[in-house]
Every structure is written in structure tokens, then in C-alpha cells.
Amino acid sequence: MELIDELVVVFLESDYELSSVLDKKTKEILLDAPESQTGKRELDWEDDESVQFLVRIPQITTEEAYNLMVKFAEMQDSSIADQLLDVLKRKEPLRTFEDKLGEQGIGDIWYEFENDYAKNRMSEWLKEVL
């Protein structure tokens, strides 16, 4: 898997209990989590030498994900757009949005749209940090 594809996965995972970092020197993605969860020694952010090339990889925020869903919904035919926008106003909009995508048979289109967004976002981020 190419680095950009790995960054897309990390960006879209949105697990705020774990974070991933990019080693700018080796271009390797490392998980920064307690040893009890990974089996590997946790990163020591106090050791300037060992973390000098590390940068935290951003993850999509809930607000950013929601706004992306709204943008996608607004691009659809009016009847589908209305249904998608309606579920985004309900409780647990992220989950119900995906359910509605499945009902409408446009889940693959959404995932491609979301992946393209993430790839562009991570490409821009990568240019900034390297």
C-alpha cells in the first residue's frame, strides 16, 4: 500500500484514543498508543532526538465528516438529496446517513467521494510536513 493510501486510512479512522504519527525521515506510519494496547514501547515525546522527525497525522473531525456528508448530499438528485439531508438532521446522523446510502444504492459513490476528499486532504498535508 502506498503512503498516501495509508494516510487516508488513518485520517478516516477517527479513533481519538489512538493516534498515528508519520516519521518524516523514513516515511513510516507509527501508532502512538500505550504499550498495553500495541505491544510496542510508547513514543517518548520528551526525548527530542527520538521524535524530531515525527509529526502527528490528522484525523477527520466529526464536524468535518458531517460537512462532507452535507456536501455529498447536495450533489445528488433532489429526491435523494432531500432524504440524505433529512437523516443528517436526526439523532446519530453519521450512522443513519450510511444506512440511507445503502437504501439508495449509492454507498460506493459515497465511499469514492469520501476517499477522494481524504486523499486530497492528506496530499496537501503531506506537502506541508515534508
Side-chain angles (χ1 to χ4, degrees):
M1 185 181 292
E2 290 189 36
L3 176 60
I4 192 68
D5 296 322
E6 291 180 58
L7 289 170
V8 164
V9 170
V10 170
F11 176 71
L12 292 174
E13 277 181 350
S14 298
D15 185 345
Y16 299 111
E17 293 181 14
L18 305 174
S19 69
S20 296
V21 296
L22 175 67
D23 183 323
K24 297 187 295 184
K25 189 174 184 178
T26 65
K27 308 234 181 355
E28 179 183 10
I29 295 175
L30 306 169
L31 188 60
D32 184 20
E35 186 175 348
S36 61
Q37 291 180 325
T38 65
K40 295 182 180 179
R41 198 177 78 196
E42 190 172 352
L43 296 174
D44 180 4
W45 289 97
E46 301 296 318
D47 181 1
D48 292 339
E49 189 174 320
S50 67
V51 297
Q52 68 180 333
F53 297 107
L54 301 182
V55 61
R56 291 193 189 279
I57 300 169
Q59 294 177 317
I60 194 167
T61 65
T62 302
E63 180 180 359
E64 187 177 12
Y66 180 86
N67 290 338
L68 188 61
M69 291 177 191
V70 169
K71 183 177 180 179
F72 177 80
E74 291 172 341
M75 296 170 56
Q76 306 310 305
D77 291 337
S78 63
S79 66
I80 293 174
D82 290 344
Q83 292 177 50
L84 291 173
L85 291 169
D86 180 58
V87 299
L88 288 173
K89 296 174 188 170
R90 297 181 191 170
K91 186 178 178 181
E92 297 186 9
L94 306 181
R95 182 172 298 147
T96 54
F97 181 81
E98 291 189 356
D99 292 343
K100 185 58 72 174
L101 292 172
E103 288 174 23
Q104 295 298 323
I106 57 173
D108 289 344
I109 297 168
W110 158 250
Y111 291 116
E112 185 177 336
F113 178 82
E114 180 185 46
N115 192 67
D116 288 347
Y117 171 82
K119 191 174 246 184
N120 288 332
R121 178 91 154 54
M122 288 295 88
S123 292
E124 290 300 314
W125 176 81
L126 201 52
K127 287 179 198 174
E128 291 174 16
V129 299
L130 292 184

